[in-house]
Amino acid sequence: MNYNVNEKGYYGEFGGAYIPEMLYPNVEELRQNYLNIMAEESFQKKFHQLLKDYVGRPTPLYFAKRLSEKHNTKIYLKREDLCHTGAHKVNNSIGQILMAKRLGKTRIIAETGAGQHGVATATVCALMGLECIVFMGEIDIKRQAPNVARMKMLGATVVPATSGSKTLKDATNEAIRDWINNPLDTHYIIGSVVGPHPYPDMVARFQSVISEEIKTQLIEKEGREDPDYVVACVGGGSNAAGAFYHYLNQPDVGIIAVEAAGKGIDSGESAATSALGNVGIIHGSKTLLMQTDDGQITEPYSISAGLDYPGVGPMHANLYKSGRGEFISITDDEAMEAGMQLCKLEGIIPAIESSHALAIFENRKFKKDDLIVVNLSGRGDKDLDTYIKHFNL
Amino acid sequence: MNRIQNKLLENKKLLSIYFTAGYPKLEDTVEILQQLENSGVDMVEIGMPFSDPLADGPTIQASSQLALKNGMTTDLLFRQLKGIRKKVSIPLIIMGYFNPVLQFGVENFCKKCAEVGIDGLILPDLPLAEYEEHYAGIFKKYNLINIFLITPQTSEERIRKIDTASEGFIYMVSSASVTGSSSGFGDEQESYFKRIEALQLKNPQIVGFGINNSKIFHQATKYAKGAIIGSAFIKVLSDEGKAGISSFIKSIR
Ligand SMILES: Cc1ncc(COP(=O)(O)O)c(C=O)c1O
C-alpha cells in the first residue's frame, strides 16, 4: 500500500478539495503548479539555502542518553526546537513564501492558534518584504500575548477572529473568507497538513526535510537509515507528516502519532481526533473530525494551543484508518510531567505540543534495543506561562 | 418537470430569498415560507445552519449560530417541512454546507428532500467533480436539481462545464466576496454580467451575494434571469421580525 497522496488528491478515502467555487481558481492554480515549481532547480536551491543559512538546518539528531536510560530503550530527539522561531513550522512557511513569490502573489495571509505558525509566517514575510495578515482567534490572542507581540514586531497585522468559538478553527475560517474576498493578489500560507488538496501534500513535502535529515543522521550515528519507530505529536499533523514522510511506505518502521487527550478522552474536553472523530469535511478536506451527530464541528480542548484543532490532516486519517500508524493520546497532566522530565534529564525545555510525544514512554513499553526517534517539534519558551501555572513555579 | 424548471420558464425576472432555518425563532420556518410566497417571492433558499460557514459573511454567520443555539438540526428541519407542499407551491431549495448532509447520509438526505417536496440543493462546498463522480445519480433518483456557483474569476472553460452539468439555473456570485457585502454594483459587475450573457449558456443565471435593495436587484436582473437576496433579508428579520417581510419584498420589486 502507498501512503502518499494519489493523483486525485486523496489518501485512501481522505483528502480532496471540498471548497466553494470562489476558491477554485486559486486552489486549482496551486494544484496545477506546485509540483513543477517545487521540482525547479532554482526553487530547490533557494529553499535549501534558506533552510540552511536562515533556519539553521540541518537540526541536530541528538541521542538522549539519560532519557534513554530512564525508559530503558534508545531514544533520539530530532531537534526541530532549534529552528529559527522555535518550531518546525518555519520549514513550511519558507517553502510556501517561495511558492507565493513564484506565483506572483504579493499579499500573504495565515491562520494561527498558538501563534507559532503566525510568527513563522510573519518572519518569512519580513524576510521577503511581503504584506502579512495573520488571523487569530480572539481567545487565543489573549492566551498567547507574547506571540502576538512578536508578529507585530515582525510587521504583520494580526486580525482577531471573532466568529464561532474564537479559536484556531475560526481563525482558519476567517483566513479562508479573506482569500475569497481577495482572489487575485493573495496566497494563503496554511500552517499544517490540512485544507484542500494540494495543501496537505505540499506542506508535507516542505516538512519532509525532517525525515530526510533523520535518514542521513542515523547512518552517521548508528550505521542504519531506519529507526524502529518514529514518534510525533499531531495537531493538524505537519511535524508528524515531516517526520514520517520518508518512512511512510516502509512497514518495518513503526509510526506513532500522539494526540492530545486534554482532560481525558471521555471528559468532554479533549482534542484526540482519531478516538473521538468520524469522517467529515473540515476546511476543504474530507478527513476525521470531531463533530456532533448533526454534523456541526465541535470545539476541542487541549492545554497545548497547537494541538487544539478539531480535525487531523487527511494523511493521518488514512494512517489511522488503515492501521499503518499507531495512535496514542496523552492527557494534559501526562504531557506536562513528560515536559518537566525532559528539562531535568536533558536540559531541554520542550513545547507542550512536543511534550505529548515524549509522554508515550510512560504508557507504552519499548524493547531495550529499540531505536526510537521522537520529533521534538518546538521549544517551550512560548509555554512558560503554562508551565509556571501548572507547577506553581 | 421540476418546479424550478417550470418557474424559470415564466416570462419574468425572478426574486429569490434566502433565510436561515431556525432564525430568529426555532419554529419560524413554515411561517416565513408562507409569508414569502404570499408577498410574491418566486423561489426560496432555505438555509441549513452550519457551525463553520466558510463562504458567509457576518450576517449569515450570526443567524446560523443563533439558529443552532435555538436547536435547529437537519432532522428537525425535515420535520418542520413535512406537509409544506399543502401550504406553499413556489420552488424550494435547500442551501447548506456539505458536512451536515454527509453526516445525515447523502442518499437519506435526498430521500427526505423528495418526501417533503424540496426541488433543488445548493451545496457550495460540494465540488463539481465530486458531485459528478459520486452523487449525481442519487440527486437524479430523487428529482433534485443541483445548483452550481460561478464567480467573476471562473474561467470560460469551467463555466461551460458547469453549464453542461446544470439542469436548472446557474448561481452567479456577483463579486469576489463572501455573502453580505454591500458595496453596490459598478462597472466591474456590469461587464461580468454582460460577459456571461454573451456566452449564451443553456441554463439561465440568477445573481446572488451583495443584493440588498431595489436598485441593485434591477441592476442584477438587467442581464440575468433573477436575483437572490440573503443577508439583507436576514437583517430585516433581525430588526423587524416577520412583520417586516411583506413590506421589504414589496420594496424590492
Ligand atoms: C511546537 C509545535 N508542535 C506541534 C504543533 C502542532 O502542529 P502540527 O500537528 O501541524 O505539527 C504546533 C502548532 O502550533 C507547534 O507549535
Side-chain angles (χ1 to χ4, degrees), chain A residues 19-294:
Chain A
I19 47 170
E21 193 62 31
M22 294 78 115
L23 290 174
Y24 182 86
N26 273 319
V27 172
E28 181 62 11
E29 179 187 34
L30 197 59
R31 188 190 69 81
Q32 281 183 7
N33 293 301
Y34 81 110
L35 289 176
N36 290 338
I37 292 176
M38 285 178 76
E40 285 169 7
E41 208 184 304
S42 60
F43 185 94
Q44 282 298 321
K45 220 175 123 193
K46 258 189 235 152
F47 181 55
H48 285 287
Q49 180 251 319
L50 282 171
L51 288 184
K52 177 165 175 279
D53 298 336
Y54 190 71
V55 175
R57 304 202 72 91
T59 58
L61 183 70
Y62 165 72
F63 174 56
K65 185 160 173 289
R66 297 188 66 210
L67 187 70
S68 298
E69 281 165 5
K70 165 100 185 141
H71 295 295
N72 206 22
T73 189
K74 194 165 194 179
I75 305 169
Y76 277 88
L77 302 177
K78 179 60 173 163
R79 298 290 308 274
E80 293 301 297
D81 61 313
L82 296 177
C83 287
H84 178 43
T85 69
H88 69 289
K89 295 277 179 191
V90 71
N91 303 327
N92 168 49
S93 297
I94 295 259
Q96 283 205 52
I97 196 112
L98 294 175
M99 181 67 63
K101 284 199 90 149
R102 184 64 183 64
L103 292 170
K105 307 290 180 181
T106 54
R107 180 176 175 274
I108 299 296
I109 56 173
E111 86 294 341
T112 198
Q116 282 307 108
H117 174 60
V119 167
T121 300
T123 298
V124 300
C125 285
L127 180 69
M128 298 290 170
L130 292 185
E131 184 186 0
C132 181
I133 295 124
V134 180
F135 294 89
M136 188 169 186
E138 202 170 44
I139 291 177
D140 290 335
I141 287 182
K142 289 199 190 106
R143 289 199 286 202
Q144 311 285 335
N147 271 345
V148 176
R150 281 186 189 102
M151 288 185 266
K152 288 184 178 162
M153 288 173 73
L154 293 160
T157 306
V158 180
V159 179
T162 56
S163 60
S165 48
K166 306 179 176 62
T167 58
L168 177 58
K169 96 178 158 67
D170 309 283
T172 308
N173 291 341
E174 288 303 332
I176 291 173
R177 289 179 188 124
D178 180 285
W179 209 16
I180 289 175
N181 290 336
N182 297 281
L184 298 178
D185 58 351
T186 299
H187 176 73
Y188 176 19
I189 300 192
I190 213 163
S192 192
V193 286
V194 300
H197 178 67
Y199 274 107
D201 184 49
M202 180 172 71
V203 176
R205 284 169 188 263
F206 287 139
Q207 291 292 1
S208 71
V209 64
I210 298 172
S211 46
E212 194 182 307
E213 289 175 4
I214 294 174
K215 287 206 160 200
T216 33
Q217 289 168 322
L218 270 184
I219 289 188
E220 242 168 62
K221 295 187 192 306
E222 294 283 335
R224 54 190 268 200
E225 273 195 347
D226 305 332
D228 295 302
Y229 298 94
V230 193
V231 183
C233 67
V234 175
S238 65
N239 88 87
F244 300 162
Y245 196 85
H246 291 286
Y247 298 115
L248 286 173
N249 299 316
Q250 282 182 234
D252 53 327
V253 178
I255 280 175
I256 301 180
V258 186
E259 292 181 308
K263 295 183 178 166
I265 296 272
D266 301 318
S267 67
E269 291 182 80
S270 177
T273 306
S274 67
L276 297 170
N278 51 7
V279 182
I281 312 276
I282 182 170
H283 299 137
S285 179
K286 186 188 254 190
T287 188
L288 293 172
L289 61 118
M290 291 164 57
Q291 55 186 322
T292 66
D293 293 344
D294 196 43

